[in-house]
Amino acid sequence: HGDGPVRRFPQINATTMPAAAEKHLGPFRLLRILGRGSMGVVHLAFDLKQQRPVALKTLALGDGLAAAERDEARSRFLAEAATAQRLAHLDIVNVFGAGEQAGVAWLAMEVLGGCELGRYTAPSRLLPEALVLEVVARVARALHHAHARGVVHRDIKPGNVMVDLPRRTVKLTDFGIAALADLSRTRTGVVLGTPVYMAPEQLAGAEADARSDQYSLGVMLFHLLTGR
């Protein structure tokens, strides 16, 4: 979920951190930062209610928005995250829940192994063509599942796809966070995320739909095949 490899953490339990070092957000004990991106920080956390490790992505809720717009951002983010929880697809990350506390939105997801697909966009690290097509086809099927249920991702890019190549796993991530970033961008004129993958209508501030995701998927495929 961050900017580099993410390992599995089967050994995490409620007593991993000493009491003096504890930090909390809602029902979660924050253990350490897994990564930082343009749209937030990802923590390895422990869910004290469910007694399980989670990847907790946080984002300042409606940063730069007026109070009414911040309320709208909160409502849209929570609605999108609730919908993401209902997505059930092998290649979509499991979303356990979402909420907001003290102006910080959070999204709790399963902890993933492997690394971001962006690792394989550098010209010296390109994957074999057949493997690229397999991975992107799986992302396309995951998007079809989401679109059929009225969910638009809005931020398809290699950094939002986690792959564990030895285990042949592919996970599309960040539905709820992408929705909040989209609202913030259209309200403030600041583009969050990676503009080079975005459809022209998104850059122009128009509402994204399934076709916008398809455009971004095509750009991602081109990048994975060519390194540019």
Side-chain angles (χ1 to χ4, degrees):
H1 299 288
D3 297 323
V6 177
R7 298 182 178 86
R8 299 178 186 276
F9 297 89
Q11 76 281 11
I12 297 299
N13 57 61
T15 59
T16 299
M17 293 288 285
E22 286 185 6
K23 292 184 179 180
H24 292 81
L25 179 65
F28 304 101
R29 177 181 296 167
L30 305 182
L31 302 179
R32 68 183 182 89
I33 292 176
L34 293 176
R36 299 178 186 271
S38 60
M39 291 188 296
V41 178
V42 183
H43 298 263
L44 177 66
F46 191 81
D47 187 333
L48 297 171
K49 289 185 177 179
Q50 299 297 325
Q51 292 291 296
R52 64 186 174 192
V54 298
L56 191 71
K57 187 148 194 175
T58 61
L59 181 69
L61 185 59
D63 191 20
L65 302 182
E69 294 169 338
R70 188 162 52 248
D71 290 342
E72 181 185 353
R74 179 187 298 107
S75 297
R76 285 186 55 171
F77 167 69
L78 294 177
E80 187 84 10
T83 303
Q85 286 181 257
R86 295 195 294 271
L87 299 179
H89 192 278
L90 179 65
D91 296 332
I92 295 177
V93 65
N94 288 324
V95 175
F96 300 134
E100 180 266 335
Q101 180 175 325
V104 176
W106 57 261
L107 191 71
M109 303 171 285
E110 64 177 310
V111 178
L112 300 176
C115 64
E116 292 180 357
L117 188 57
R119 186 181 187 90
Y120 302 107
T121 57
S124 61
R125 288 182 173 176
L126 296 183
L127 297 172
E129 182 177 309
L131 183 54
V132 170
L133 295 176
E134 175 189 339
V135 170
V136 174
R138 289 175 64 172
V139 175
R141 286 192 290 269
L143 278 174
H144 176 74
H145 174 85
H147 293 162
R149 288 152 183 80
V151 182
V152 179
H153 190 283
R154 299 178 174 86
D155 195 21
I156 297 298
K157 60 183 179 181
N160 281 337
V161 179
M162 294 291 292
V163 292
D164 189 335
L165 297 181
R167 294 176 174 83
R168 310 295 281 193
T169 62
V170 176
K171 293 284 185 177
L172 179 59
T173 71
D174 278 3
F175 281 89
I177 294 292
L180 181 57
D182 187 68
L183 178 65
S184 296
R185 180 177 59 252
T186 57
R187 286 289 189 269
T188 65
V190 176
V191 175
L192 301 179
T194 308
V196 295
Y197 296 102
M198 293 179 182
E201 64 272 15
Q202 285 181 271
L203 292 172
E207 183 70 19
D209 61 21
R211 295 167 297 180
S212 309
D213 282 349
Q214 292 168 354
Y215 180 99
S216 299
L217 185 68
V219 177
M220 185 177 80
L221 173 60
F222 181 89
H223 197 180
L224 290 166
L225 289 173
T226 67
R228 58 189 177 88

